[in-house]
Amino acid sequence: MDNSAAIATDRLLRGDCIAEMAKLPDACVDMIFADPPYNLQLGGDLFRPEGSRVDAVDNDWDKFDTLGSYDRFTKAWLREARRILKPNGTIWVIGSYHNIFRVGTALQDEGFWILNDIIWRKSNPMPNFKGTRFTNAHETLIWASQGEDARYTFNYKAMKTLNDELQMRSDWVLPICAGPERLKRNGTKAHPTQKPEALLYRVLLACTKPGDVVLDPFFGTGTTGAVAKRLGRRWIGIEREEDYIEVALERIEAALPLDESALTIMQTARQQPKVAFGTLVETGYLDPGTVLTDTKRRWQAVVRADGSLSVGTDTGSIHKLGATLQGAPSCNGWTFWHHEAGGKLQPIDTLRQTYLLANEP
Amino acid sequence: MDNSAAIATDRLLRGDCIAEMAKLPDACVDMIFADPPYNLQLGGDLFRPEGSRVDAVDNDWDKFDTLGSYDRFTKAWLREARRILKPNGTIWVIGSYHNIFRVGTALQDEGFWILNDIIWRKSNPMPNFKGTRFTNAHETLIWASQGEDARYTFNYKAMKTLNDELQMRSDWVLPICAGPERLKRNGTKAHPTQKPEALLYRVLLACTKPGDVVLDPFFGTGTTGAVAKRLGRRWIGIEREEDYIEVALERIEAALPLDESALTIMQTARQQPKVAFGTLVETGYLDPGTVLTDTKRRWQAVVRADGSLSVGTDTGSIHKLGATLQGAPSCNGWTFWHHEAGGKLQPIDTLRQTYLLANEP
DNA sequence: TGAGCACGTGAATCCCTCC
DNA sequence: CGGAGGGATTCACGTGCTC
């Protein structure tokens, strides 16, 4: 079953995504990428430590009365999505902990078969300003087929090449959308939640073929359309906010097919493996209670459970405490502190090397 | 409400977790860590390319007929968990894409308030042997409180220290459980999904205090108990498989508790004794009439006898006045205001530190 | 011209005690 | 329980200006 010849592509449909999808024939698109409202349920204003106000998502389109009404909305658009998706097509949905569990459950309930959950690890997330939780540094994408036996597209080799000849993993490190890529209108961001093109690039490259039809029911400023055009895929966007539509059409008009040099920019920056001192404590390379000392054995510091050191009443990280004790502005704790090993003093940096050897590919 | 004194801890309850939890009083544990069955839906055996069989999860306890029965099971144990958890306690649940969306939805439906979803990024995952999907290189944990207004424990400063002075993020890079840590019975793995101690270490260090009671309803080989014992937390495990119980008890018996000195962790400023600015004036650390200024010397404020400041006709506390002058919603006067000392500007916070050193036990 | 610093900002469920 | 008030709290980048 393939009705993609029956529909017009590379165009934007104005209106509500459920109503617009309802007008399309069964089994007419190869992939659906959806970035639905997250239903963030934010409270009052939030201020950064220096006093500025965080420009939060407070749009009406993100507001739902109850979890139940969000679920009904999710089921309704997923049902239409499932109908217009070809039997061997796949769907991608992105979300955060606010909504992704509802979405994943609805996907399974509607009969989709989850192939992977993918973690977009943000290299530059917004911090947690009040120190109340872990920094929310990722978003989750779900990739699903129509059913267990569907023969979906997965360009395994392309992904492996993109990842320096290692299998592409389920966690992707990518920066958030900022700088020149971030679309503006009258000097302010055109859309509060614009996704980076690199994210769509990887999704489309992995799971579609050239000429495939990609539909995005929550088109926004058209990242999906722009990347589809650049990768030689056909696209259909659905959006109801006129402000976003204008920006999206202009953007896609200007998008150029990718050449080789542009492709390399999209590739993974292979980041330096960083190891925190605390990781050595957590993983048992160094036990809490161990005594560290400097080469001249002037100070004896006890390693504590959280990776801090204590010498008498002075406490701090390996770097801070080293600096404090020496009266220096800074100190490299990795080379300053030593532990007894094999009858002699060894810098703790050697433990870090050991850890890296054992745990990095 | 706190019934933790009414229960015996550091022990294993043999039996079904729902039945065993039902025997415990309301509000008696500070944290619940749960690693429920994953409902893996594996279609037959999985073989490596060279023909050897992958030892996947295929035990009886991991079979659920339908998503519906899994949901009923999840709701049933979550409901008991919620009842025995103290109002300010938190729950952690770990899972993969097979079950975590059901769990997250059930948590929200039962009234839990999600605080973070955490990604355990495996530094050495099992590759995808068939090359049909992305390498499944992570698992997801959900951290939730009893409700939106609960005052849960989060050792922010300890986590920041553990992560080399940067906020701990929602993505945790930790190796899988292997090597000597992986428990064996008759030469094969004692449990198919044994979690690494480092994972539990971070969870317990972040969200409990020494002496807190941690309950694990799917105890398995007792990773939660072993780490709780090491970190000076009390524990309760529930497990029905005699094979696992034997291994778990032996393992926890061998685990060594850390010294109290090693258990001490970095405290946030909020947890430290408070000093009123007026006290510094009363005790002569700062004389009335002293002129304070901000770093850019935009404002000159005079210290008054009652510990308030005045700039022209504006008066108020060090915090209020700083906020008023900057037009900011709030201001930390301790770091905003400076006084001349030794020829240069010093924040009045240093005076507070001096006072604390001289006057605290 | 280049280095360096100040400043702005991003899908955020973001304080706690006392009266 | 609501309001008031003390005072704790941020990381990675891009841009644009200064020296």
Side-chain angles (χ1 to χ4, degrees), chain A residues 41 48 97 126 130 132-133 182 189:
Chain A
Q41 308 177 64
R48 297 185 180 82
Y97 67 85
M126 188 159 73
K130 304 293 186 186
T132 56
R133 302 181 180 189
R182 188 86 194 203
K189 52 185 177 191

Side-chain angles (χ1 to χ4, degrees), chain A residues 30-101:
Chain A
D30 298 283
M31 173 191 277
I32 292 171
F33 183 91
D35 182 9
Y38 287 10
N39 189 23
L40 287 182
Q41 308 177 64
L42 302 180
D45 281 340
L46 177 65
F47 293 88
R48 297 185 180 82
E50 100 283 337
S52 65
R53 189 180 144 274
V54 174
D55 183 15
V57 178
D58 58 355
N59 309 64
D60 286 339
W61 51 252
D62 196 50
K63 290 185 171 48
F64 294 82
D65 289 336
T66 60
L67 288 175
S69 70
Y70 185 81
D71 290 343
R72 282 189 292 279
F73 162 74
T74 302
K75 288 213 155 200
W77 75 257
L78 278 179
R79 207 162 289 162
E80 282 304 320
R82 185 167 171 84
R83 185 184 60 77
I84 65 174
L85 188 63
K86 295 183 193 177
N88 290 329
T90 58
I91 184 170
W92 285 77
V93 190
I94 183 167
S96 65
Y97 67 85
H98 309 85
N99 72 321
I100 199 65
F101 304 116

Side-chain angles (χ1 to χ4, degrees), chain A residues 302-347:
Chain A
V302 178
V303 176
R304 305 196 298 180
D306 60 353
S308 62
L309 301 186
S310 73
V311 174
T313 56
D314 284 328
T315 59
S317 67
I318 55 171
H319 312 293
K320 278 192 175 170
L321 188 63
T324 305
L325 294 173
Q326 297 179 93
S330 67
C331 164
N332 182 350
W334 289 109
T335 51
F336 178 74
W337 294 106
H338 293 63
H339 70 124
E340 204 87 35
K344 57 180 190 172
L345 288 183
Q346 282 215 319

Side-chain angles (χ1 to χ4, degrees), chain A residues 124-275:
Chain A
N124 50 350
M126 188 159 73
N128 181 291
F129 296 115
K130 304 293 186 186
T132 56
R133 302 181 180 189
F134 299 97
T135 304
N136 194 1
H138 73 275
E139 292 187 26
T140 302
L141 299 98
I142 301 176
W143 177 40
S145 67
Q146 292 273 36
E148 189 173 356
D149 299 321
R151 307 221 335 239
Y152 54 89
T153 297
F154 179 59
N155 300 313
Y156 175 76
K157 193 69 201 345
M159 284 299 102
K160 196 166 175 182
T161 306
L162 197 63
N163 196 38
D164 276 359
E165 295 306 320
L166 289 174
Q167 286 191 347
M168 186 67 83
R169 302 167 42 113
S170 57
D171 60 311
W172 302 354
V173 179
L174 295 169
I176 59 176
C177 182
E181 190 189 327
R182 188 86 194 203
L183 298 169
K184 306 270 168 133
R185 248 179 92 94
N186 310 324
T188 59
K189 52 185 177 191
H191 192 284
T193 71
Q194 186 184 339
K195 296 294 174 288
E197 293 199 2
L199 187 70
L200 271 294
Y201 175 85
R202 196 175 291 183
V203 167
L204 296 188
L205 194 66
C207 307
T208 61
K209 301 187 196 66
D212 276 1
V213 178
V214 180
L215 180 136
D216 185 336
F218 306 96
F219 205 52
T221 51
T223 308
T224 304
V227 176
K229 180 180 176 188
R230 295 174 68 187
L231 282 175
R233 273 69 169 168
R234 291 180 287 162
W235 58 273
I236 298 173
I238 307 178
E239 178 54 53
R240 60 182 187 192
E241 306 276 335
E242 195 54 42
D243 282 356
Y244 302 156
I245 291 174
E246 240 177 72
V247 176
L249 291 177
E250 208 171 293
R251 168 194 197 175
I252 296 169
E253 180 64 32
L256 298 173
L258 289 175
D259 55 30
E260 282 302 313
S261 65
L263 288 181
T264 56
I265 296 172
M266 295 288 193
Q267 294 193 10
T268 52
R270 226 168 148 63
Q271 71 263 4
Q272 277 304 344
K274 250 194 286 185
V275 180

Side-chain angles (χ1 to χ4, degrees), chain B residues 128-346:
Chain B
N128 182 295
F129 294 112
K130 292 180 180 169
T132 54
R133 303 181 187 190
F134 298 96
T135 301
N136 199 359
H138 74 274
E139 289 187 32
T140 301
L141 299 97
I142 301 175
W143 177 41
S145 68
Q146 292 273 36
E148 188 173 356
D149 298 321
R151 306 240 308 263
Y152 53 88
T153 296
F154 179 56
N155 298 316
Y156 173 75
K157 198 69 186 299
M159 284 299 105
K160 192 169 173 175
T161 307
L162 199 64
N163 194 38
D164 270 1
E165 301 296 327
L166 288 177
Q167 287 190 336
M168 187 67 83
R169 300 166 38 118
S170 57
D171 55 324
W172 299 357
V173 180
L174 292 170
I176 59 173
C177 181
E181 189 190 327
R182 185 86 197 205
L183 297 171
K184 308 267 171 146
R185 249 180 93 93
N186 311 323
T188 58
K189 331 185 240 208
H191 192 282
T193 64
Q194 185 185 340
K195 297 294 175 285
E197 295 200 2
L199 188 71
L200 271 294
Y201 185 98
R202 192 176 292 182
V203 167
L204 296 188
L205 194 68
C207 308
T208 61
K209 302 187 196 66
D212 276 2
V213 178
V214 180
L215 180 137
D216 185 336
F218 307 97
F219 204 54
T221 51
T223 308
T224 303
V227 177
K229 183 180 176 190
R230 278 178 62 204
L231 286 176
R233 275 68 172 167
R234 292 180 286 163
W235 58 272
I236 299 172
I238 307 178
E239 178 56 55
R240 61 183 187 193
E241 303 284 331
E242 196 54 41
D243 283 356
Y244 300 155
I245 291 173
E246 236 176 77
V247 176
L249 290 177
E250 207 170 294
R251 167 194 198 176
I252 295 169
E253 183 61 35
L256 296 174
L258 296 174
D259 286 351
E260 202 168 323
S261 64
L263 277 184
T264 316
I265 56 175
M266 300 301 288
Q267 302 292 302
T268 60
R270 276 201 187 94
Q271 295 165 296
Q272 281 154 12
K274 232 197 274 190
V275 180
F277 179 67
T279 307
L280 298 187
V281 181
E282 284 171 11
T283 53
Y285 280 75
L286 204 59
D287 291 324
T290 306
V291 174
L292 303 182
T293 180
D294 59 303
T295 44
K296 293 177 187 164
R297 296 177 193 271
R298 281 172 300 184
W299 298 286
Q300 317 280 319
V302 179
V303 176
R304 306 199 296 184
D306 62 353
S308 64
L309 301 186
S310 71
V311 173
T313 57
D314 286 327
T315 59
S317 70
I318 54 171
H319 314 293
K320 264 277 141 53
L321 190 62
T324 306
L325 293 172
Q326 294 180 95
S330 67
C331 166
N332 184 343
W334 290 108
T335 50
F336 179 73
W337 294 108
H338 293 64
H339 69 121
E340 203 87 35
K344 57 180 188 174
L345 288 183
Q346 280 215 324

